[in-house]
Amino acid sequence: DTAVSQTPKYLVTQMGNDKSIKCEQNLGHDTMYWYKQDSKKFLKIMFSYNNKELIINETVPNRFSPKSPDKAHLNLHINSLELGDSAVYFCATGGVGETQYFGPGTRLLVL
Amino acid sequence: GNSVTQMEGPVTLSEEAFLTINCTYTATGYPSLFWYVQYPGEGLQLLLKATKADDKGSNKGFEATYRKETTSFHLEKGSVQVSDSAVYFCALSDPNEKLTFGTGTRLTIIP
């Protein structure tokens, strides 16, 4: 049983489109995160939600909007996709100061 | 703010060689320190961690010691294997739950 799952695994789309990535965790953690990994493998946090409430919101274009319908889900919606949005997006979950558990990633390619 | 500086890669070693990947950090307070590993095409997974000064984290033959006096958390392994080829990330976690990653070090082990 996968602890943190993401869908889709791959996403290829045209510039200007709107897309969503879904994340689900079955670890019972209160906190969930979205990270972006660029082509050089650099990882940067985007958002953090604790019990459906936004905690961390790094400098991310407002085209990116996270939504947490419940504690086990954190989805990422991206409007008006741009070439520079191409990256791997990772969902993660974990407790305060504790180990984070990462999903397998969603590879987004914007053409 | 918090930051993590780790050894630039890529690092290429022969099987059974000794590995060191350097990591130093800057943080206020007393962060927890982590090494995460990312195998090709996968998400990150925890390799080891240390939560206070002088703690040693270890797993799968890898070790790292939390050195407060030198603000370091270097990763070592006595004899690497081909299966250790991956990208290794040093990270710290502050009380606000934010995980700050280093830039990652790509390790390739040749038979």
Side-chain angles (χ1 to χ4, degrees), chain B residues 60-99:
Chain B
K60 300 181 181 180
F62 290 89
E63 291 183 342
T65 301
Y66 190 149
R67 301 278 188 211
K68 191 165 180 292
E69 64 276 13
T70 53
T71 61
S72 64
F73 194 54
H74 305 320
L75 183 68
E76 296 182 336
K77 185 174 186 182
S79 176
V80 292
Q81 306 300 314
V82 171
S83 57
D84 294 327
S85 298
V87 181
Y88 291 81
F89 292 89
C90 185
L92 70 82
S93 177
D94 68 19
N96 294 320
E97 307 177 37
K98 185 176 166 181
L99 200 59

Side-chain angles (χ1 to χ4, degrees), chain A residues 9 31 33 35 37 40-43 45 48 50 55-56 58 90 94-100 102-105 107, chain B residues 32 34 36 38 40-46 49 51 87 89 93-104 106:
Chain A
K9 189 169 182 181
T31 309
Y33 309 82
Y35 290 88
Q37 186 176 46
K40 294 184 179 176
K41 299 293 187 184
F42 185 67
L43 264 169
I45 190 167
S48 157
N50 183 284
I55 302 298
I56 295 172
E58 292 293 298
F90 288 102
V96 178
E98 296 293 320
T99 302
Q100 289 190 16
F102 284 77
R107 284 141 188 86
Chain B
S32 295
F34 304 82
Y36 282 83
Q38 184 178 25
E42 297 183 12
L44 279 74
Q45 54 186 277
L46 179 71
K49 69 177 184 181
T51 56
V87 181
F89 292 89
S93 177
D94 68 19
N96 294 320
E97 307 177 37
K98 185 176 166 181
L99 200 59
T100 302
F101 285 94
T103 51
R106 184 182 297 277

